[in-house]
Amino acid sequence: MHKRFVNHCTIDLSILPLGPLLIKSGKEGADPTKPDMEFVETYHQGGRTVYLPGSSLKGAIRAHAERIVRTVGEDKRPQNPDKLWANDPLDLNANKYLDNITNPAEIYRHSSFTDRLFGNTAIASRLRIEDAYPTKEHPLKLEERNGVAIDRVFGSVAVGPFNYQVCTAGEFRTKIHLKNFTLAQLALIGLVLRDLDDGWFGLGFAKSRGLGTVDVKLNSAVVSYPGCILEGDRICLLGSDKSWERTQLLGAGVFLTENPYHFPTDDEVEISVISELMELGFGVKQTWTGSEQVKDLFTKSVPKWRKLLGGVAA
């Protein structure tokens, strides 16, 4: 399925620390004036700055997505590959069964719901998250804190004192890219971002000790159909007689004539946004601007998630 490009969603969002936040650099420098645990840094726009690595964000988002799927589905591979399930993260041999499957479509079908989205050792990821960099409008506030590790038996200091660097205010901006997606997969990303904004899980170091709580601001979302054009009031698929209303949100399955990956073929919903041409006059896009509009995009997708669970039909 990665050989084709039928739809693509870009979600522009900001992450704002509500308290101390630390993504550790993973190494200690030789400078004695710096804290024992430093925030990860990189060069960006001509200077050195702290940032949130896309890999760290993706790991946290994937972990919670798997938690959601295991809550409403199963945590072991079922006999029916169409059932909703997610791997046990502690089982290092969870994907060994895929070694005996050579057909890419069958590998996809027999992978868990979250592996289909985030990838595994046999299939590539459909989701990519950019590094989150600070914005000039909301400068970061960095400070150092002190801590000790207490011995649970004697109640005395086991390790420390040590100091660590945290970010307590500011704004990091990033984008999530999702390609060849189903509406149920888009809905799952929306649920994860909702839970992150509500504080159900955090980012980075010492989350169980109060660090890592953030606010998520949804700036915009763009869904593109690069193989389509607009003809009158309809979205038309090039090289095919398939077409849809300009106010339809389309999942990957509706574009396929042959469907070995078993994408849902009725994966479309009515939306309030009207489609328009992409730049250069080729391709079709739909744009949601502002937090409320982006939330509406996710809300429109959730019935397809419920249908996947066997609940209320879309």
Side-chain angles (χ1 to χ4, degrees), residues 271-304:
I271 55 175
S272 57
V273 171
I274 298 176
S275 303
E276 58 185 351
L277 284 175
M278 296 173 63
E279 292 183 9
L280 305 183
F282 191 86
V284 177
K285 68 177 181 179
Q286 298 159 339
T287 304
W288 289 259
T289 304
S291 179
E292 292 306 314
Q293 281 200 12
V294 179
K295 287 179 182 178
D296 184 64
L297 166 64
F298 293 133
T299 301
K300 296 293 186 182
S301 304
V302 165
K304 295 299 182 181

PDB file of all heavy atoms in Angstrom, residues 271-304:
ATOM      1  N   ILE A 271     -18.953  16.138   6.070  1.00  0.00           N
ATOM      2  CA  ILE A 271     -18.269  17.155   6.865  1.00  0.00           C
ATOM      3  C   ILE A 271     -18.770  18.535   6.465  1.00  0.00           C
ATOM      4  O   ILE A 271     -19.448  18.705   5.446  1.00  0.00           O
ATOM      5  CB  ILE A 271     -16.734  17.084   6.676  1.00  0.00           C
ATOM      6  CG1 ILE A 271     -16.362  17.187   5.197  1.00  0.00           C
ATOM      7  CG2 ILE A 271     -16.168  15.833   7.309  1.00  0.00           C
ATOM      8  CD1 ILE A 271     -14.880  17.242   4.925  1.00  0.00           C
ATOM      9  N   SER A 272     -18.443  19.536   7.286  1.00  0.00           N
ATOM     10  CA  SER A 272     -18.873  20.906   7.004  1.00  0.00           C
ATOM     11  C   SER A 272     -17.872  21.659   6.138  1.00  0.00           C
ATOM     12  O   SER A 272     -18.188  22.723   5.599  1.00  0.00           O
ATOM     13  CB  SER A 272     -19.079  21.664   8.324  1.00  0.00           C
ATOM     14  OG  SER A 272     -17.888  21.656   9.101  1.00  0.00           O
ATOM     15  N   VAL A 273     -16.659  21.125   5.996  1.00  0.00           N
ATOM     16  CA  VAL A 273     -15.616  21.775   5.204  1.00  0.00           C
ATOM     17  C   VAL A 273     -15.809  21.430   3.730  1.00  0.00           C
ATOM     18  O   VAL A 273     -16.132  20.293   3.377  1.00  0.00           O
ATOM     19  CB  VAL A 273     -14.225  21.318   5.685  1.00  0.00           C
ATOM     20  CG1 VAL A 273     -13.137  21.795   4.736  1.00  0.00           C
ATOM     21  CG2 VAL A 273     -13.960  21.848   7.087  1.00  0.00           C
ATOM     22  N   ILE A 274     -15.604  22.401   2.861  1.00  0.00           N
ATOM     23  CA  ILE A 274     -15.756  22.204   1.423  1.00  0.00           C
ATOM     24  C   ILE A 274     -14.376  22.018   0.792  1.00  0.00           C
ATOM     25  O   ILE A 274     -13.441  22.756   1.083  1.00  0.00           O
ATOM     26  CB  ILE A 274     -16.480  23.400   0.768  1.00  0.00           C
ATOM     27  CG1 ILE A 274     -17.883  23.539   1.353  1.00  0.00           C
ATOM     28  CG2 ILE A 274     -16.557  23.229  -0.746  1.00  0.00           C
ATOM     29  CD1 ILE A 274     -18.641  24.738   0.836  1.00  0.00           C
ATOM     30  N   SER A 275     -14.252  21.028  -0.077  1.00  0.00           N
ATOM     31  CA  SER A 275     -12.981  20.729  -0.732  1.00  0.00           C
ATOM     32  C   SER A 275     -12.577  21.841  -1.697  1.00  0.00           C
ATOM     33  O   SER A 275     -13.428  22.542  -2.247  1.00  0.00           O
ATOM     34  CB  SER A 275     -13.082  19.406  -1.499  1.00  0.00           C
ATOM     35  OG  SER A 275     -13.468  18.353  -0.639  1.00  0.00           O
ATOM     36  N   GLU A 276     -11.272  21.960  -1.892  1.00  0.00           N
ATOM     37  CA  GLU A 276     -10.728  22.933  -2.839  1.00  0.00           C
ATOM     38  C   GLU A 276      -9.502  22.336  -3.512  1.00  0.00           C
ATOM     39  O   GLU A 276      -8.964  21.318  -3.072  1.00  0.00           O
ATOM     40  CB  GLU A 276     -10.363  24.237  -2.125  1.00  0.00           C
ATOM     41  CG  GLU A 276      -9.363  24.052  -1.004  1.00  0.00           C
ATOM     42  CD  GLU A 276      -9.110  25.341  -0.247  1.00  0.00           C
ATOM     43  OE1 GLU A 276      -9.569  26.397  -0.696  1.00  0.00           O
ATOM     44  OE2 GLU A 276      -8.426  25.285   0.796  1.00  0.00           O
ATOM     45  N   LEU A 277      -9.059  22.973  -4.585  1.00  0.00           N
ATOM     46  CA  LEU A 277      -7.891  22.487  -5.297  1.00  0.00           C
ATOM     47  C   LEU A 277      -6.623  22.728  -4.486  1.00  0.00           C
ATOM     48  O   LEU A 277      -6.494  23.733  -3.771  1.00  0.00           O
ATOM     49  CB  LEU A 277      -7.757  23.184  -6.651  1.00  0.00           C
ATOM     50  CG  LEU A 277      -8.701  22.733  -7.768  1.00  0.00           C
ATOM     51  CD1 LEU A 277      -8.502  23.618  -8.997  1.00  0.00           C
ATOM     52  CD2 LEU A 277      -8.469  21.266  -8.122  1.00  0.00           C
ATOM     53  N   MET A 278      -5.673  21.810  -4.603  1.00  0.00           N
ATOM     54  CA  MET A 278      -4.356  22.003  -4.011  1.00  0.00           C
ATOM     55  C   MET A 278      -3.561  22.991  -4.854  1.00  0.00           C
ATOM     56  O   MET A 278      -3.976  23.376  -5.946  1.00  0.00           O
ATOM     57  CB  MET A 278      -3.627  20.648  -3.918  1.00  0.00           C
ATOM     58  CG  MET A 278      -4.289  19.642  -2.997  1.00  0.00           C
ATOM     59  SD  MET A 278      -3.515  18.002  -3.056  1.00  0.00           S
ATOM     60  CE  MET A 278      -1.870  18.373  -2.460  1.00  0.00           C
ATOM     61  N   GLU A 279      -2.419  23.391  -4.347  1.00  0.00           N
ATOM     62  CA  GLU A 279      -1.552  24.296  -5.094  1.00  0.00           C
ATOM     63  C   GLU A 279      -1.184  23.691  -6.446  1.00  0.00           C
ATOM     64  O   GLU A 279      -1.098  22.474  -6.598  1.00  0.00           O
ATOM     65  CB  GLU A 279      -0.284  24.597  -4.287  1.00  0.00           C
ATOM     66  CG  GLU A 279      -0.539  25.432  -3.040  1.00  0.00           C
ATOM     67  CD  GLU A 279       0.750  25.764  -2.318  1.00  0.00           C
ATOM     68  OE1 GLU A 279       1.830  25.491  -2.878  1.00  0.00           O
ATOM     69  OE2 GLU A 279       0.679  26.289  -1.189  1.00  0.00           O
ATOM     70  N   LEU A 280      -0.963  24.534  -7.418  1.00  0.00           N
ATOM     71  CA  LEU A 280      -0.639  24.183  -8.808  1.00  0.00           C
ATOM     72  C   LEU A 280      -1.848  23.610  -9.545  1.00  0.00           C
ATOM     73  O   LEU A 280      -1.722  23.160 -10.678  1.00  0.00           O
ATOM     74  CB  LEU A 280       0.533  23.196  -8.876  1.00  0.00           C
ATOM     75  CG  LEU A 280       1.831  23.620  -8.167  1.00  0.00           C
ATOM     76  CD1 LEU A 280       2.924  22.583  -8.378  1.00  0.00           C
ATOM     77  CD2 LEU A 280       2.304  24.985  -8.654  1.00  0.00           C
ATOM     78  N   GLY A 281      -3.021  23.614  -8.897  1.00  0.00           N
ATOM     79  CA  GLY A 281      -4.236  23.201  -9.573  1.00  0.00           C
ATOM     80  C   GLY A 281      -4.392  21.721  -9.774  1.00  0.00           C
ATOM     81  O   GLY A 281      -5.205  21.275 -10.603  1.00  0.00           O
ATOM     82  N   PHE A 282      -3.645  20.913  -9.019  1.00  0.00           N
ATOM     83  CA  PHE A 282      -3.750  19.456  -9.151  1.00  0.00           C
ATOM     84  C   PHE A 282      -3.845  18.847  -7.763  1.00  0.00           C
ATOM     85  O   PHE A 282      -3.054  19.142  -6.881  1.00  0.00           O
ATOM     86  CB  PHE A 282      -2.529  18.901  -9.887  1.00  0.00           C
ATOM     87  CG  PHE A 282      -2.677  17.463 -10.300  1.00  0.00           C
ATOM     88  CD1 PHE A 282      -3.288  17.131 -11.491  1.00  0.00           C
ATOM     89  CD2 PHE A 282      -2.209  16.450  -9.488  1.00  0.00           C
ATOM     90  CE1 PHE A 282      -3.430  15.807 -11.873  1.00  0.00           C
ATOM     91  CE2 PHE A 282      -2.341  15.129  -9.850  1.00  0.00           C
ATOM     92  CZ  PHE A 282      -2.958  14.799 -11.059  1.00  0.00           C
ATOM     93  N   GLY A 283      -4.828  17.946  -7.581  1.00  0.00           N
ATOM     94  CA  GLY A 283      -5.092  17.389  -6.264  1.00  0.00           C
ATOM     95  C   GLY A 283      -6.186  18.162  -5.554  1.00  0.00           C
ATOM     96  O   GLY A 283      -6.500  19.305  -5.910  1.00  0.00           O
ATOM     97  N   VAL A 284      -6.768  17.539  -4.529  1.00  0.00           N
ATOM     98  CA  VAL A 284      -7.869  18.131  -3.765  1.00  0.00           C
ATOM     99  C   VAL A 284      -7.505  18.124  -2.287  1.00  0.00           C
ATOM    100  O   VAL A 284      -6.887  17.173  -1.794  1.00  0.00           O
ATOM    101  CB  VAL A 284      -9.176  17.339  -4.006  1.00  0.00           C
ATOM    102  CG1 VAL A 284     -10.311  17.907  -3.162  1.00  0.00           C
ATOM    103  CG2 VAL A 284      -9.544  17.353  -5.490  1.00  0.00           C
ATOM    104  N   LYS A 285      -7.877  19.190  -1.581  1.00  0.00           N
ATOM    105  CA  LYS A 285      -7.592  19.255  -0.146  1.00  0.00           C
ATOM    106  C   LYS A 285      -8.790  19.810   0.604  1.00  0.00           C
ATOM    107  O   LYS A 285      -9.643  20.501   0.053  1.00  0.00           O
ATOM    108  CB  LYS A 285      -6.364  20.110   0.130  1.00  0.00           C
ATOM    109  CG  LYS A 285      -6.554  21.598  -0.160  1.00  0.00           C
ATOM    110  CD  LYS A 285      -5.303  22.390   0.209  1.00  0.00           C
ATOM    111  CE  LYS A 285      -5.489  23.888  -0.053  1.00  0.00           C
ATOM    112  NZ  LYS A 285      -4.289  24.664   0.318  1.00  0.00           N
ATOM    113  N   GLN A 286      -8.839  19.478   1.892  1.00  0.00           N
ATOM    114  CA  GLN A 286      -9.841  19.999   2.825  1.00  0.00           C
ATOM    115  C   GLN A 286      -9.098  20.558   4.029  1.00  0.00           C
ATOM    116  O   GLN A 286      -8.197  19.909   4.554  1.00  0.00           O
ATOM    117  CB  GLN A 286     -10.797  18.877   3.246  1.00  0.00           C
ATOM    118  CG  GLN A 286     -11.576  18.282   2.083  1.00  0.00           C
ATOM    119  CD  GLN A 286     -12.111  16.894   2.382  1.00  0.00           C
ATOM    120  OE1 GLN A 286     -11.628  16.181   3.262  1.00  0.00           O
ATOM    121  NE2 GLN A 286     -13.121  16.483   1.622  1.00  0.00           N
ATOM    122  N   THR A 287      -9.463  21.757   4.471  1.00  0.00           N
ATOM    123  CA  THR A 287      -8.707  22.454   5.506  1.00  0.00           C
ATOM    124  C   THR A 287      -9.597  22.795   6.695  1.00  0.00           C
ATOM    125  O   THR A 287     -10.694  23.338   6.531  1.00  0.00           O
ATOM    126  CB  THR A 287      -8.077  23.752   4.942  1.00  0.00           C
ATOM    127  OG1 THR A 287      -7.276  23.430   3.799  1.00  0.00           O
ATOM    128  CG2 THR A 287      -7.214  24.433   5.987  1.00  0.00           C
ATOM    129  N   TRP A 288      -9.103  22.472   7.892  1.00  0.00           N
ATOM    130  CA  TRP A 288      -9.759  22.834   9.148  1.00  0.00           C
ATOM    131  C   TRP A 288      -8.819  23.789   9.889  1.00  0.00           C
ATOM    132  O   TRP A 288      -7.635  23.488  10.058  1.00  0.00           O
ATOM    133  CB  TRP A 288     -10.005  21.607  10.015  1.00  0.00           C
ATOM    134  CG  TRP A 288     -11.066  20.674   9.503  1.00  0.00           C
ATOM    135  CD1 TRP A 288     -12.350  20.565   9.931  1.00  0.00           C
ATOM    136  CD2 TRP A 288     -10.903  19.679   8.470  1.00  0.00           C
ATOM    137  NE1 TRP A 288     -13.007  19.580   9.221  1.00  0.00           N
ATOM    138  CE2 TRP A 288     -12.151  19.035   8.323  1.00  0.00           C
ATOM    139  CE3 TRP A 288      -9.843  19.289   7.657  1.00  0.00           C
ATOM    140  CZ2 TRP A 288     -12.349  18.012   7.393  1.00  0.00           C
ATOM    141  CZ3 TRP A 288     -10.037  18.279   6.741  1.00  0.00           C
ATOM    142  CH2 TRP A 288     -11.280  17.652   6.613  1.00  0.00           C
ATOM    143  N   THR A 289      -9.315  24.933  10.328  1.00  0.00           N
ATOM    144  CA  THR A 289      -8.492  25.941  10.990  1.00  0.00           C
ATOM    145  C   THR A 289      -9.023  26.213  12.394  1.00  0.00           C
ATOM    146  O   THR A 289     -10.226  26.435  12.577  1.00  0.00           O
ATOM    147  CB  THR A 289      -8.485  27.250  10.179  1.00  0.00           C
ATOM    148  OG1 THR A 289      -8.043  26.975   8.846  1.00  0.00           O
ATOM    149  CG2 THR A 289      -7.549  28.266  10.807  1.00  0.00           C
ATOM    150  N   GLY A 290      -8.125  26.197  13.369  1.00  0.00           N
ATOM    151  CA  GLY A 290      -8.523  26.461  14.744  1.00  0.00           C
ATOM    152  C   GLY A 290      -8.886  25.187  15.489  1.00  0.00           C
ATOM    153  O   GLY A 290      -9.243  24.162  14.897  1.00  0.00           O
ATOM    154  N   SER A 291      -8.812  25.270  16.804  1.00  0.00           N
ATOM    155  CA  SER A 291      -9.011  24.099  17.655  1.00  0.00           C
ATOM    156  C   SER A 291     -10.385  23.466  17.488  1.00  0.00           C
ATOM    157  O   SER A 291     -10.516  22.244  17.387  1.00  0.00           O
ATOM    158  CB  SER A 291      -8.796  24.486  19.129  1.00  0.00           C
ATOM    159  OG  SER A 291      -9.002  23.386  19.978  1.00  0.00           O
ATOM    160  N   GLU A 292     -11.432  24.286  17.445  1.00  0.00           N
ATOM    161  CA  GLU A 292     -12.783  23.739  17.368  1.00  0.00           C
ATOM    162  C   GLU A 292     -13.025  23.019  16.051  1.00  0.00           C
ATOM    163  O   GLU A 292     -13.671  21.962  16.020  1.00  0.00           O
ATOM    164  CB  GLU A 292     -13.814  24.869  17.565  1.00  0.00           C
ATOM    165  CG  GLU A 292     -13.820  25.453  18.962  1.00  0.00           C
ATOM    166  CD  GLU A 292     -14.007  24.402  20.043  1.00  0.00           C
ATOM    167  OE1 GLU A 292     -14.900  23.544  19.868  1.00  0.00           O
ATOM    168  OE2 GLU A 292     -13.261  24.435  21.039  1.00  0.00           O
ATOM    169  N   GLN A 293     -12.517  23.565  14.957  1.00  0.00           N
ATOM    170  CA  GLN A 293     -12.700  22.912  13.662  1.00  0.00           C
ATOM    171  C   GLN A 293     -11.940  21.591  13.592  1.00  0.00           C
ATOM    172  O   GLN A 293     -12.446  20.593  13.058  1.00  0.00           O
ATOM    173  CB  GLN A 293     -12.252  23.837  12.527  1.00  0.00           C
ATOM    174  CG  GLN A 293     -13.265  24.904  12.165  1.00  0.00           C
ATOM    175  CD  GLN A 293     -13.032  25.475  10.766  1.00  0.00           C
ATOM    176  OE1 GLN A 293     -12.270  24.945   9.982  1.00  0.00           O
ATOM    177  NE2 GLN A 293     -13.718  26.569  10.469  1.00  0.00           N
ATOM    178  N   VAL A 294     -10.712  21.555  14.125  1.00  0.00           N
ATOM    179  CA  VAL A 294      -9.936  20.314  14.097  1.00  0.00           C
ATOM    180  C   VAL A 294     -10.602  19.260  14.984  1.00  0.00           C
ATOM    181  O   VAL A 294     -10.647  18.078  14.626  1.00  0.00           O
ATOM    182  CB  VAL A 294      -8.488  20.569  14.540  1.00  0.00           C
ATOM    183  CG1 VAL A 294      -7.694  19.258  14.534  1.00  0.00           C
ATOM    184  CG2 VAL A 294      -7.817  21.581  13.618  1.00  0.00           C
ATOM    185  N   LYS A 295     -11.136  19.674  16.121  1.00  0.00           N
ATOM    186  CA  LYS A 295     -11.876  18.729  16.962  1.00  0.00           C
ATOM    187  C   LYS A 295     -13.087  18.180  16.218  1.00  0.00           C
ATOM    188  O   LYS A 295     -13.451  17.007  16.371  1.00  0.00           O
ATOM    189  CB  LYS A 295     -12.314  19.416  18.258  1.00  0.00           C
ATOM    190  CG  LYS A 295     -11.191  19.677  19.245  1.00  0.00           C
ATOM    191  CD  LYS A 295     -11.708  20.374  20.492  1.00  0.00           C
ATOM    192  CE  LYS A 295     -10.574  20.678  21.455  1.00  0.00           C
ATOM    193  NZ  LYS A 295     -11.066  21.414  22.664  1.00  0.00           N
ATOM    194  N   ASP A 296     -13.714  19.014  15.392  1.00  0.00           N
ATOM    195  CA  ASP A 296     -14.858  18.554  14.602  1.00  0.00           C
ATOM    196  C   ASP A 296     -14.424  17.493  13.594  1.00  0.00           C
ATOM    197  O   ASP A 296     -15.167  16.541  13.331  1.00  0.00           O
ATOM    198  CB  ASP A 296     -15.498  19.740  13.880  1.00  0.00           C
ATOM    199  CG  ASP A 296     -16.746  19.348  13.114  1.00  0.00           C
ATOM    200  OD1 ASP A 296     -17.734  18.936  13.756  1.00  0.00           O
ATOM    201  OD2 ASP A 296     -16.743  19.442  11.871  1.00  0.00           O
ATOM    202  N   LEU A 297     -13.228  17.631  13.021  1.00  0.00           N
ATOM    203  CA  LEU A 297     -12.688  16.607  12.123  1.00  0.00           C
ATOM    204  C   LEU A 297     -12.599  15.267  12.833  1.00  0.00           C
ATOM    205  O   LEU A 297     -13.032  14.228  12.302  1.00  0.00           O
ATOM    206  CB  LEU A 297     -11.312  17.039  11.620  1.00  0.00           C
ATOM    207  CG  LEU A 297     -10.464  15.955  10.944  1.00  0.00           C
ATOM    208  CD1 LEU A 297     -11.114  15.461   9.667  1.00  0.00           C
ATOM    209  CD2 LEU A 297      -9.055  16.471  10.677  1.00  0.00           C
ATOM    210  N   PHE A 298     -12.038  15.269  14.038  1.00  0.00           N
ATOM    211  CA  PHE A 298     -11.924  14.024  14.794  1.00  0.00           C
ATOM    212  C   PHE A 298     -13.299  13.487  15.188  1.00  0.00           C
ATOM    213  O   PHE A 298     -13.556  12.277  15.144  1.00  0.00           O
ATOM    214  CB  PHE A 298     -11.064  14.243  16.039  1.00  0.00           C
ATOM    215  CG  PHE A 298      -9.618  14.527  15.746  1.00  0.00           C
ATOM    216  CD1 PHE A 298      -8.955  15.570  16.376  1.00  0.00           C
ATOM    217  CD2 PHE A 298      -8.921  13.753  14.833  1.00  0.00           C
ATOM    218  CE1 PHE A 298      -7.618  15.825  16.107  1.00  0.00           C
ATOM    219  CE2 PHE A 298      -7.577  14.007  14.559  1.00  0.00           C
ATOM    220  CZ  PHE A 298      -6.926  15.050  15.200  1.00  0.00           C
ATOM    221  N   THR A 299     -14.196  14.395  15.577  1.00  0.00           N
ATOM    222  CA  THR A 299     -15.543  13.987  15.976  1.00  0.00           C
ATOM    223  C   THR A 299     -16.275  13.289  14.828  1.00  0.00           C
ATOM    224  O   THR A 299     -16.977  12.292  15.041  1.00  0.00           O
ATOM    225  CB  THR A 299     -16.353  15.205  16.450  1.00  0.00           C
ATOM    226  OG1 THR A 299     -15.673  15.822  17.549  1.00  0.00           O
ATOM    227  CG2 THR A 299     -17.748  14.792  16.901  1.00  0.00           C
ATOM    228  N   LYS A 300     -16.106  13.810  13.612  1.00  0.00           N
ATOM    229  CA  LYS A 300     -16.745  13.199  12.443  1.00  0.00           C
ATOM    230  C   LYS A 300     -16.178  11.810  12.153  1.00  0.00           C
ATOM    231  O   LYS A 300     -16.865  10.956  11.569  1.00  0.00           O
ATOM    232  CB  LYS A 300     -16.559  14.091  11.213  1.00  0.00           C
ATOM    233  CG  LYS A 300     -17.233  15.449  11.310  1.00  0.00           C
ATOM    234  CD  LYS A 300     -18.741  15.347  11.322  1.00  0.00           C
ATOM    235  CE  LYS A 300     -19.373  16.733  11.263  1.00  0.00           C
ATOM    236  NZ  LYS A 300     -20.847  16.687  11.332  1.00  0.00           N
ATOM    237  N   SER A 301     -14.930  11.566  12.554  1.00  0.00           N
ATOM    238  CA  SER A 301     -14.283  10.281  12.294  1.00  0.00           C
ATOM    239  C   SER A 301     -14.629   9.226  13.339  1.00  0.00           C
ATOM    240  O   SER A 301     -14.538   8.026  13.048  1.00  0.00           O
ATOM    241  CB  SER A 301     -12.756  10.458  12.238  1.00  0.00           C
ATOM    242  OG  SER A 301     -12.389  11.413  11.275  1.00  0.00           O
ATOM    243  N   VAL A 302     -15.002   9.638  14.539  1.00  0.00           N
ATOM    244  CA  VAL A 302     -15.217   8.703  15.645  1.00  0.00           C
ATOM    245  C   VAL A 302     -16.307   7.664  15.361  1.00  0.00           C
ATOM    246  O   VAL A 302     -16.166   6.502  15.784  1.00  0.00           O
ATOM    247  CB  VAL A 302     -15.505   9.483  16.946  1.00  0.00           C
ATOM    248  CG1 VAL A 302     -16.090   8.580  18.022  1.00  0.00           C
ATOM    249  CG2 VAL A 302     -14.222  10.138  17.455  1.00  0.00           C
ATOM    250  N   PRO A 303     -17.420   7.991  14.655  1.00  0.00           N
ATOM    251  CA  PRO A 303     -18.393   6.930  14.355  1.00  0.00           C
ATOM    252  C   PRO A 303     -17.794   5.731  13.621  1.00  0.00           C
ATOM    253  O   PRO A 303     -18.240   4.596  13.825  1.00  0.00           O
ATOM    254  CB  PRO A 303     -19.438   7.652  13.493  1.00  0.00           C
ATOM    255  CG  PRO A 303     -19.385   9.071  13.965  1.00  0.00           C
ATOM    256  CD  PRO A 303     -17.937   9.310  14.262  1.00  0.00           C
ATOM    257  N   LYS A 304     -16.784   5.948  12.786  1.00  0.00           N
ATOM    258  CA  LYS A 304     -16.120   4.833  12.114  1.00  0.00           C
ATOM    259  C   LYS A 304     -15.311   4.003  13.101  1.00  0.00           C
ATOM    260  O   LYS A 304     -15.169   2.785  12.935  1.00  0.00           O
ATOM    261  CB  LYS A 304     -15.220   5.362  10.991  1.00  0.00           C
ATOM    262  CG  LYS A 304     -15.994   6.034   9.855  1.00  0.00           C
ATOM    263  CD  LYS A 304     -16.950   5.067   9.172  1.00  0.00           C
ATOM    264  CE  LYS A 304     -17.685   5.709   8.015  1.00  0.00           C
ATOM    265  NZ  LYS A 304     -18.634   4.782   7.361  1.00  0.00           N
TER     266      LYS A 304
END
